[in-house]
């Protein structure tokens, strides 16, 4: 067995044993059901694990992650997650979370600086809407590039909050007077802290 995998499995066993020692019923209770209050829609970046950065336990956060935390209107994957989280689990808060130094956002920014060409691979196609957003907002006019990418991280989160609020699952929940809010956050890799962008939307004031 590869040493890295062996280390990972050993760490898992040690963690499971420690959790069981502290709370003998934890895993039995966890296996019966989940009742999270939060849906986290974040980036796939390995440095932003939602349960770790929020000091949450398994079962606290339902999660969906993809490159650059996108909520695209034609992505059945994210909309299936929204449908289940809102309709079945009845989560109360949807967190759209971007992060500093996002590689996906940086790639979209640099793509927006070049003449438009048809996407050549799956990653470029995935990021095409974000690249188009950068062009639309004139992000390339911000100098230096680090500042432009930071701005695009936040504007991307705001756009995905809008897309989430416009989803069938969320609109249905609001029509049925279900309590669910959509929030936009950015995680700062250099401080480990979440920033609320102040763009929350919902059935009432949160």
């Amino acid at each position: 067995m590869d040493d890295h995998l062996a280390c990972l499995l050993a760490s898992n066993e040690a963690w499971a044993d420690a959790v069981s020692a502290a709370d003998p019923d934890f895993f039995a209770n966890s296996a019966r059901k989940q009742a999270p209050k939060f849906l986290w829609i974040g980036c796939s970046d390995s440095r932003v694990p939602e349960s770790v950065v929020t000091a949450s336990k398994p079962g606290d956060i339902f999660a969906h992650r993809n490159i650059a935390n996108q909520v695209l209107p034609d992505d059945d994957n994210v909309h299936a997650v929204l449908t289940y989280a809102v309709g079945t689990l009845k989560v109360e808060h949807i967190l759209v979370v971007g992060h500093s130094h996002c590689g996906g956002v940086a790639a979209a920014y640099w793509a927006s600086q070049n003449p438009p060409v048809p996407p050549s691979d799956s990653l470029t196609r995935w990021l095409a809407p974000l690249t188009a957003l950068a062009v639309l907002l004139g992000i390339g006019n911000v100098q230096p590039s680090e500042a432009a990418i930071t701005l695009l991280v936040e504007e991307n989160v705001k756009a995905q909050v809008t897309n989430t609020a416009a989803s069938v699952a969320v609109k249905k929940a609001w029509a049925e007077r279900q309590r669910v809010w959509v929030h936009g956050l950015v995680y700062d890799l250099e401080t480990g802290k979440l920033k609320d962008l102040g763009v929350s939307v919902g059935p009432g004031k949160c």
Side-chain angles (χ1 to χ4, degrees):
M1 182 184 293
D2 178 82
D3 288 345
H4 295 294
L5 178 57
C7 182
L8 185 74
L9 294 175
S11 295
N12 165 253
E13 184 172 358
W15 168 78
D17 289 345
V19 171
S20 293
D23 182 355
D25 296 325
F26 179 81
F27 289 113
N29 291 333
S30 178
R32 291 190 187 99
K33 68 174 184 178
Q34 60 172 327
K37 298 296 184 185
F38 298 95
L39 165 61
W40 174 291
I41 300 176
C43 183
S44 299
D45 195 294
S46 62
R47 299 166 293 180
V48 196
E50 65 283 342
S51 293
V52 175
V53 304
T54 60
S56 298
K57 295 179 180 179
D60 290 345
I61 301 176
F62 197 64
H64 174 81
R65 297 168 68 183
N66 60 52
I67 300 296
N69 46 275
Q70 300 291 283
V71 184
L72 304 180
D74 58 352
D75 177 22
D76 277 346
N77 192 345
V78 71
H79 288 282
V81 170
L82 280 166
T83 298
Y84 187 74
V86 175
T88 300
L89 297 178
K90 305 298 183 183
V91 300
E92 295 182 4
H93 299 277
I94 301 170
L95 312 175
V96 180
V97 187
H99 67 91
S100 61
H101 306 292
C102 179
V105 171
Y109 166 74
W110 289 113
S112 74
Q113 304 306 293
N114 300 313
V117 295
S120 59
D121 54 49
S122 58
L123 180 57
T124 308
R125 287 192 296 273
W126 177 257
L127 292 174
L130 181 51
T131 301
L133 177 65
V135 173
L136 178 66
L137 296 176
I139 297 293
N141 297 327
V142 178
Q143 296 296 331
S145 59
E146 292 81 2
I149 291 169
T150 296
L151 177 60
L152 186 55
V153 165
E154 294 194 358
E155 293 301 321
N156 176 45
V157 168
K158 294 174 184 178
Q160 305 320 316
V161 166
T162 298
N163 286 348
T164 302
S167 68
V168 171
V170 172
K171 289 195 295 184
K172 181 175 184 291
W174 287 343
E176 296 174 352
R177 300 185 181 278
Q178 182 177 335
R179 292 171 56 83
V180 57
W181 288 269
V182 185
H183 311 278
L185 310 175
V186 172
Y187 176 76
D188 188 342
L189 288 171
E190 293 174 329
T191 66
K193 296 182 179 180
L194 288 163
K195 173 185 176 182
D196 185 350
L197 296 183
V199 293
S200 298
V201 292
K205 188 175 182 181
C206 181

